[in-house]
């Protein structure tokens, strides 16, 4: 029997068996999981599962497809997030600032920066007053790479959202923004984050 773990909700274990349902039921893996739970535990409110499960599943599917342009240029999603943070802020950042910008641990940022520096996409310089602190900036090659990938990413996102009209997109954006604001205020940085 399934235990309601994240794997169930994100569909990582595949489409659940017996996930039929009526004509009005949403046709997604989370709806099938919810129906299964309702069958074995009708006393439990599965409403939150319907929201969180769909957010998790959407995020997993979006990330899988969205990484294709990055793989073509030999970047991982976390590496692109670092480059993107440097590009959008428009100035050098310390590794600690990059960790905060990308919700990553300091150790993970250090490892990724080393790989990006080996590819001549970023450069690091020591602080003139404190040699323990470094400042990271994009090289010309790094800036050009981000600028060349960004339109592909945005074009993909436009296609993905094409099934929703403008009002639907605005409503979804507003609701997700409200939820994110609440979660960021309540839960703080991602697990494993070290300021």
């Amino acid at each position: 029997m399934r235990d309601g773990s994240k794997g169930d909700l994100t569909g990582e274990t595949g489409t659940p068996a017996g996930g039929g349902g009526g004509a009005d039921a949403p046709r997604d893996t989370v709806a099938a999981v919810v129906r299964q739970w309702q069958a074995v535990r009708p006393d439990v409110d599965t409403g939150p599962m319907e929201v969180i499960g769909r957010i998790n599943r959407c995020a997993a599917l979006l990330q899988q497809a969205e990484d294709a342009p990055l793989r073509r240029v030999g970047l991982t999603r976390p590496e692109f997030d670092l480059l993107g943070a440097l590009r959008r802020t428009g100035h050098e950042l310390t590794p600690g600032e990059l960790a905060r910008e990308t919700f990553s641990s300091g150790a993970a940022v250090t490892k990724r920066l080393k790989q990006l520096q080996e590819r001549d996409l970023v450069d690091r310089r020591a602080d003139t007053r404190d040699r323990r602190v470094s400042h990271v900036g994009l090289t010309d090659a790094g800036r050009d790479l981000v600028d060349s990938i960004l339109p592909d990413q945005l074009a993909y996102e436009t296609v993905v959202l094409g099934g929703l009209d403008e009002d639907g997109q605005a409503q979804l954006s507003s609701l997700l923004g409200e939820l994110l604001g609440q979660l960021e205020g309540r839960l703080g940085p991602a697990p494993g984050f070290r300021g």
Side-chain angles (χ1 to χ4, degrees), residues 50-52 54-56 58-59 62 157-181:
E50 296 180 45
V51 176
I52 302 300
R54 287 189 173 101
I55 290 172
N56 286 340
C58 285
L62 288 170
E157 291 169 5
T158 299
V159 170
V160 166
L161 295 174
L164 297 174
D165 62 20
E166 280 189 36
D167 289 343
Q169 290 185 34
Q171 185 179 10
L172 180 59
S173 177
S174 176
L175 289 170
L176 288 173
E178 187 177 336
L179 176 62
L180 181 59

Coordinates of all heavy atoms in Angstrom, one line a residue, residues 50-52 54-56 58-59 62 157-181:
E50 N -4.4 17.8 -3.0 CA -4.8 18.1 -4.3 C -4.0 19.4 -4.8 O -3.7 19.5 -6.0 CB -6.3 18.4 -4.4 CG -7.1 17.1 -4.1 CD -8.6 17.3 -4.2 OE1 -9.0 17.9 -5.2 OE2 -9.3 16.8 -3.3
V51 N -3.7 20.3 -3.9 CA -3.0 21.5 -4.3 C -1.5 21.2 -4.3 O -0.8 21.4 -5.3 CB -3.3 22.7 -3.3 CG1 -2.4 23.9 -3.6 CG2 -4.8 23.0 -3.3
I52 N -0.9 20.8 -3.1 CA 0.5 20.5 -3.0 C 1.0 19.5 -4.0 O 2.1 19.6 -4.6 CB 0.9 20.1 -1.6 CG1 0.5 21.2 -0.6 CG2 2.4 19.9 -1.5 CD1 1.0 22.6 -0.8
R54 N -0.2 18.7 -6.9 CA -0.2 19.3 -8.3 C 1.0 20.3 -8.5 O 1.6 20.3 -9.5 CB -1.5 19.9 -8.6 CG -2.6 18.9 -8.9 CD -3.9 19.4 -9.4 NE -4.8 18.4 -9.8 CZ -5.8 18.0 -9.0 NH1 -6.1 18.6 -7.9 NH2 -6.6 17.0 -9.4
I55 N 1.2 21.0 -7.4 CA 2.4 22.0 -7.5 C 3.7 21.2 -7.7 O 4.5 21.5 -8.6 CB 2.4 22.9 -6.3 CG1 1.3 23.9 -6.3 CG2 3.8 23.6 -6.2 CD1 1.2 24.7 -5.1
N56 N 3.8 20.1 -6.9 CA 5.1 19.3 -7.0 C 5.2 18.6 -8.3 O 6.3 18.6 -8.9 CB 5.1 18.2 -5.8 CG 5.4 18.8 -4.5 OD1 5.9 19.9 -4.4 ND2 5.0 18.1 -3.4
C58 N 3.7 19.5 -11.2 CA 4.0 20.5 -12.3 C 5.5 20.9 -12.2 O 6.1 21.0 -13.3 CB 3.1 21.7 -12.1 SG 1.4 21.5 -12.5
A59 N 6.0 21.2 -11.0 CA 7.4 21.6 -10.9 C 8.3 20.5 -11.5 O 9.3 20.9 -12.2 CB 7.7 21.9 -9.5
L62 N 7.9 20.5 -15.4 CA 8.5 21.7 -16.0 C 10.0 21.7 -16.0 O 10.6 22.0 -17.0 CB 8.0 22.9 -15.3 CG 6.5 23.3 -15.5 CD1 6.1 24.4 -14.5 CD2 6.3 23.8 -16.9
E157 N 8.4 28.5 -21.8 CA 7.4 28.8 -20.8 C 6.1 29.4 -21.4 O 5.0 29.1 -21.0 CB 7.9 29.8 -19.8 CG 9.0 29.2 -19.0 CD 9.8 30.2 -18.1 OE1 9.5 31.4 -18.1 OE2 10.8 29.7 -17.5
T158 N 6.2 30.2 -22.5 CA 5.0 30.7 -23.2 C 4.2 29.6 -23.8 O 3.0 29.6 -23.7 CB 5.5 31.7 -24.3 OG1 6.2 32.8 -23.7 CG2 4.3 32.2 -25.1
V159 N 4.9 28.6 -24.4 CA 4.2 27.5 -25.0 C 3.5 26.7 -23.9 O 2.3 26.3 -24.0 CB 5.1 26.6 -25.8 CG1 4.5 25.2 -26.1 CG2 5.6 27.3 -27.0
V160 N 4.2 26.4 -22.7 CA 3.6 25.7 -21.6 C 2.3 26.3 -21.1 O 1.3 25.7 -20.8 CB 4.6 25.5 -20.5 CG1 4.0 25.0 -19.2 CG2 5.7 24.6 -20.9
L161 N 2.3 27.6 -21.0 CA 1.2 28.3 -20.4 C 0.1 28.7 -21.5 O -0.9 29.3 -21.2 CB 1.7 29.7 -19.8 CG 2.5 29.5 -18.6 CD1 3.1 30.8 -18.1 CD2 1.8 28.8 -17.4
G162 N 0.4 28.3 -22.7 CA -0.5 28.6 -23.8 C -1.9 28.0 -23.7 O -2.9 28.5 -24.3
G163 N -2.1 27.0 -22.9 CA -3.4 26.4 -22.6 C -4.3 27.3 -21.7 O -5.5 27.0 -21.5
L164 N -3.7 28.3 -21.1 CA -4.4 29.2 -20.2 C -4.5 30.5 -20.8 O -3.5 31.1 -21.4 CB -3.7 29.4 -18.8 CG -3.5 28.1 -18.0 CD1 -2.6 28.5 -16.7 CD2 -4.9 27.6 -17.5
D165 N -5.7 31.1 -20.8 CA -5.9 32.5 -21.3 C -5.2 33.5 -20.4 O -4.7 33.1 -19.3 CB -7.3 32.8 -21.6 CG -8.2 32.8 -20.3 OD1 -7.6 32.9 -19.2 OD2 -9.4 32.7 -20.5
E166 N -5.2 34.8 -20.8 CA -4.5 35.8 -20.0 C -5.1 35.9 -18.6 O -4.3 36.0 -17.6 CB -4.6 37.2 -20.7 CG -3.5 37.3 -21.8 CD -3.5 38.8 -22.3 OE1 -3.7 39.7 -21.5 OE2 -3.3 38.9 -23.5
D167 N -6.4 35.8 -18.5 CA -7.0 35.9 -17.2 C -6.6 34.7 -16.3 O -6.3 34.9 -15.1 CB -8.5 36.0 -17.3 CG -9.0 37.3 -17.8 OD1 -8.2 38.3 -17.8 OD2 -10.2 37.4 -18.3
G168 N -6.6 33.5 -16.9 CA -6.2 32.3 -16.2 C -4.7 32.4 -15.7 O -4.4 32.0 -14.6
Q169 N -3.9 32.9 -16.5 CA -2.5 33.1 -16.2 C -2.3 34.1 -15.0 O -1.6 33.9 -14.1 CB -1.6 33.5 -17.4 CG -1.5 32.4 -18.4 CD -0.5 32.8 -19.5 OE1 0.5 33.5 -19.3 NE2 -0.8 32.3 -20.7
A170 N -3.1 35.2 -15.1 CA -3.0 36.2 -14.1 C -3.5 35.7 -12.8 O -2.9 35.9 -11.7 CB -3.7 37.5 -14.5
Q171 N -4.6 34.9 -12.8 CA -5.1 34.4 -11.6 C -4.2 33.4 -11.0 O -4.0 33.4 -9.7 CB -6.5 33.7 -11.9 CG -7.2 33.2 -10.7 CD -8.6 32.6 -11.0 OE1 -8.9 32.4 -12.2 NE2 -9.4 32.3 -10.0
L172 N -3.6 32.5 -11.8 CA -2.7 31.5 -11.3 C -1.5 32.2 -10.7 O -1.0 31.8 -9.6 CB -2.3 30.5 -12.4 CG -1.3 29.4 -12.0 CD1 -1.9 28.5 -10.9 CD2 -0.9 28.6 -13.3
S173 N -0.9 33.2 -11.4 CA 0.2 33.9 -10.9 C -0.1 34.5 -9.5 O 0.8 34.5 -8.6 CB 0.7 34.9 -11.9 OG 1.7 35.7 -11.4
S174 N -1.2 35.1 -9.4 CA -1.6 35.8 -8.2 C -1.7 34.8 -7.0 O -1.2 35.0 -5.9 CB -2.9 36.6 -8.4 OG -3.3 37.1 -7.2
L175 N -2.4 33.7 -7.3 CA -2.6 32.7 -6.2 C -1.2 32.1 -5.8 O -1.0 31.9 -4.6 CB -3.5 31.6 -6.7 CG -5.0 32.0 -6.8 CD1 -5.8 30.9 -7.5 CD2 -5.6 32.3 -5.4
L176 N -0.4 31.8 -6.8 CA 0.9 31.2 -6.4 C 1.8 32.2 -5.7 O 2.5 31.9 -4.8 CB 1.6 30.7 -7.7 CG 1.0 29.4 -8.4 CD1 1.7 29.2 -9.7 CD2 1.2 28.2 -7.4
G177 N 1.7 33.5 -6.1 CA 2.4 34.5 -5.4 C 2.0 34.7 -4.0 O 2.9 34.8 -3.1
E178 N 0.7 34.6 -3.7 CA 0.2 34.7 -2.4 C 0.7 33.5 -1.5 O 1.1 33.6 -0.4 CB -1.3 34.7 -2.4 CG -2.0 34.9 -1.1 CD -3.5 35.0 -1.2 OE1 -4.0 35.3 -2.3 OE2 -4.2 34.8 -0.2
L179 N 0.6 32.3 -2.1 CA 1.1 31.1 -1.4 C 2.6 31.2 -1.1 O 3.0 30.9 0.0 CB 0.8 29.8 -2.2 CG 1.3 28.5 -1.6 CD1 0.7 28.2 -0.3 CD2 1.0 27.4 -2.6
L180 N 3.4 31.6 -2.1 CA 4.8 31.7 -2.0 C 5.2 32.7 -0.9 O 6.1 32.4 -0.1 CB 5.5 32.0 -3.3 CG 7.0 32.1 -3.3 CD1 7.6 30.8 -2.9 CD2 7.5 32.5 -4.7
G181 N 4.5 33.8 -0.9 CA 4.8 34.8 0.1 C 4.5 34.3 1.5 O 5.3 34.5 2.5

